[in-house]
Amino acid sequence: MSGRAAFRHGVHPPDSKELTAHVAIRRMPFPEEIVLPLRQHAGKPAKLLVGKGDRVERGDKIAEADGFVSVPIHASAAGVVTDIGWWPHPDGSMAEAVRIRVEKYSPQVPRPRLVPEWKGLSPAQVVQAVQAAGVVGLGGAAFPAHVKLSPPKDAEIDFLLVNGAECEPYLTTDHRTMAEYPERVQFGIRIMMHTLGVSRAVIGIEKNKPDAIEALRRTLPADLDVTVLPLTVKYPQGAEKMLIKAVTGREVPSGKLPMHVGAIVQNVASLAAIAEVFETGLPLIERIVTITGPAVRKPSNLIVPVGTKLRDALDFCGGLTDDVVEILFGGPMMGLPQSDLDTPLIKGTTGVVVLNEAQSKPRVTYPCIRCGHCLDACPVFLHPSKLGQLAQAGRYEDMEASNLADCMLCGACSYVCPSNIPLSQMFALSKNLLKKQKVKAA
Ligand code: SF4
Ligand code: SF4
């Protein structure tokens, strides 16, 4: 690999990880109710299989995949389906969801194996098992993991790039996974290398996680070509294109994917999840989440059942302080603000960050002063101030012509803007509007 372990542009926000970087992962007890939206992954929502009044065991399939770019949803606790209806979703919308009243005295014991043993499976069988287990990328985008395991036949993939950057401030989910479960991450890498048929893997980790670097170096397999590459601490180092540039020096062209330059990128937590479903025989029904920020009393790294409500997770962490002003799912750079404590933590929820006045973004915005800071920050060399002006004027087609599609919504431009213009939020809205216009026209 000939990379420079960094990419050009980007920003250096305070990482604020000290609150949970050294806090061991602990398991949260089962809440009284879990809520499982049918839309928890990129692609088509799952199709409902249960009805009100049905009793479900932990691990039972309650909704099935609708096509290849979709995954099933499984009950994360034994209980009774009390309702199926619209419920607040982490993305701010309402989504169809299954409510399960958790059986209070159930031992919640693991089911007999629902996922086959890994040994002896062909690559196609691994892909099928990973989809059936409902595994998605746990780094935030929730892209079905089996799709990344089955690139097109003509794609020339020469290595697996393991994303351990975790560049979002505050979040320590991936960090703790690498430090506490390095063997599981290595097992996930083995499964993925076998399935993709690649002979090389590189694990990229930002240098602010020395214990994770040490743990993964200590557990490197003797029979596979896997290396650990410490990376410069810079935001957004964990964005796929930035990571590829930093590790290999290769540039993913506009409109292309990592596989077009020979790479498949998978996040460490997702690899650990792939390993875990084969180890335990259970589908993806729980995940590790960082609950942190200055306005939460006991910042923690927790294993939570998928579908745990925000309120229950916060209560388990001692509740909120009186000066709370904002709750985000995800980190402060790309996270989504939450307004309802009944919103569930879903498969793609990397963390909950609770901010007070001092740490939240200023709300008053001023006109653009053409300082150019946003241009210097943008890692994909866009012109954020111009895109912002086009967005304000509703000129969405012109934004497209100015390469809006390349914007990763990383928030680096908004972070540096002295006028507090919410550039990346404007770009997210514009992308959504353009998408809707296209669906309407089709
Ligand atoms: S949000 Fe988009 S425009 Fe802004 S810095 Fe990130 S990639 Fe560039
Ligand atoms: S950083 Fe803000 S004020 Fe400066 S050019 Fe960009 S949009 Fe304008």
Side-chain angles (χ1 to χ4, degrees), residues 367-375 384-385 413 416-419 421 423:
C368 173
I369 54 169
R370 299 182 193 281
C371 64
H373 291 344
C374 54
L375 278 88
S385 64
C413 50
V416 294
C417 178
S419 296
I421 301 171
L423 294 160

Side-chain angles (χ1 to χ4, degrees), residues 375-403:
L375 278 88
D376 292 338
C378 181
V380 286
F381 296 86
L382 296 177
H383 196 318
S385 64
K386 180 181 158 200
L387 282 168
Q389 282 157 16
L390 293 172
Q392 270 165 345
R395 290 168 56 191
Y396 304 117
E397 283 80 11
D398 292 339
M399 290 178 82
E400 254 191 326
S402 300
N403 300 319

Side-chain angles (χ1 to χ4, degrees), residues 101-411:
R101 189 179 61 237
V102 178
E103 232 169 57
K104 211 170 177 178
Y105 299 109
S106 164
Q108 302 288 353
V109 285
R111 304 285 314 270
R113 181 167 271 281
L114 297 168
V115 182
E117 298 274 3
W118 172 66
K119 272 226 160 78
L121 293 186
S122 68
Q125 288 169 323
V126 173
V127 170
Q128 200 185 13
V130 169
Q131 182 178 22
V135 185
V136 300
L138 298 190
F143 194 70
H146 67 279
V147 179
K148 276 198 182 175
L149 279 167
S150 42
K153 296 236 174 326
D154 56 350
E156 284 178 24
I157 308 298
D158 61 5
F159 73 105
L160 169 66
L161 183 43
V162 180
N163 189 352
E166 199 170 49
C167 57
E168 260 282 359
Y170 286 101
L171 303 184
T172 55
T173 306
D174 292 352
H175 179 174
R176 294 309 311 171
T177 300
M178 292 185 281
E180 294 187 51
Y181 303 113
E183 290 89 357
R184 190 171 276 173
V185 175
Q186 300 289 8
F187 182 34
I189 293 171
R190 180 178 294 277
I191 294 170
M192 195 139 178
M193 287 176 77
H194 159 81
T195 311
L196 290 170
V198 298
S199 55
R200 233 173 9 142
V202 181
I203 310 170
I205 309 175
E206 281 193 348
K207 286 177 188 159
N208 58 357
K209 305 170 188 66
D211 50 347
I213 292 172
E214 189 281 319
L216 286 174
R217 281 197 167 142
R218 179 168 38 81
T219 51
L220 283 174
D223 59 333
L224 293 176
D225 180 2
V226 183
T227 46
V228 177
L229 182 67
L231 304 168
T232 305
V233 180
K234 183 153 89 158
Y235 184 86
Q237 185 71 264
E240 289 192 343
K241 291 185 179 183
M242 304 306 106
L243 193 63
I244 292 170
K245 175 75 182 159
V247 173
T248 68
R250 296 178 199 172
E251 213 55 84
V252 181
S254 171
K256 298 286 180 193
L257 296 169
M259 68 175 157
H260 295 120
V261 296
I264 293 283
V265 184
Q266 189 56 284
N267 144 283
V268 282
S270 318
L271 286 161
I274 291 172
E276 193 175 358
V277 299
F278 286 109
E279 272 171 16
T280 62
L282 278 169
L284 180 67
I285 50 176
E286 56 187 29
R287 68 155 297 152
I288 300 167
V289 177
T290 305
I291 314 274
T292 185
V296 67
R297 290 190 197 278
K298 195 170 176 198
S300 308
N301 295 298
L302 298 180
I303 298 174
V304 300
V306 171
T308 297
K309 287 184 282 186
L310 174 58
R311 172 191 312 283
D312 294 327
L314 290 172
D315 283 352
F316 186 67
C317 295
L320 303 173
T321 58
D322 294 338
D323 57 351
V324 55
V325 293
E326 189 169 30
I327 303 178
L328 299 164
F329 273 12
M333 299 298 284
M334 292 185 75
L336 295 169
Q338 302 298 316
S339 58
D340 194 326
L341 292 175
D342 283 328
T343 307
L345 276 55
I346 59 175
K347 292 181 185 180
T349 310
T350 49
V352 177
V353 177
V354 191
L355 300 174
N356 56 18
E357 191 68 48
Q359 301 300 325
S360 64
K361 282 184 195 150
R363 278 151 217 275
V364 183
T365 64
Y366 301 94
C368 173
I369 54 169
R370 299 182 193 281
C371 64
H373 291 344
C374 54
L375 278 88
D376 292 338
C378 181
V380 286
F381 296 86
L382 296 177
H383 196 318
S385 64
K386 180 181 158 200
L387 282 168
Q389 282 157 16
L390 293 172
Q392 270 165 345
R395 290 168 56 191
Y396 304 117
E397 283 80 11
D398 292 339
M399 290 178 82
E400 254 191 326
S402 300
N403 300 319
L404 177 67
D406 287 339
C407 170
M408 310 173 294
L409 305 175
C410 69

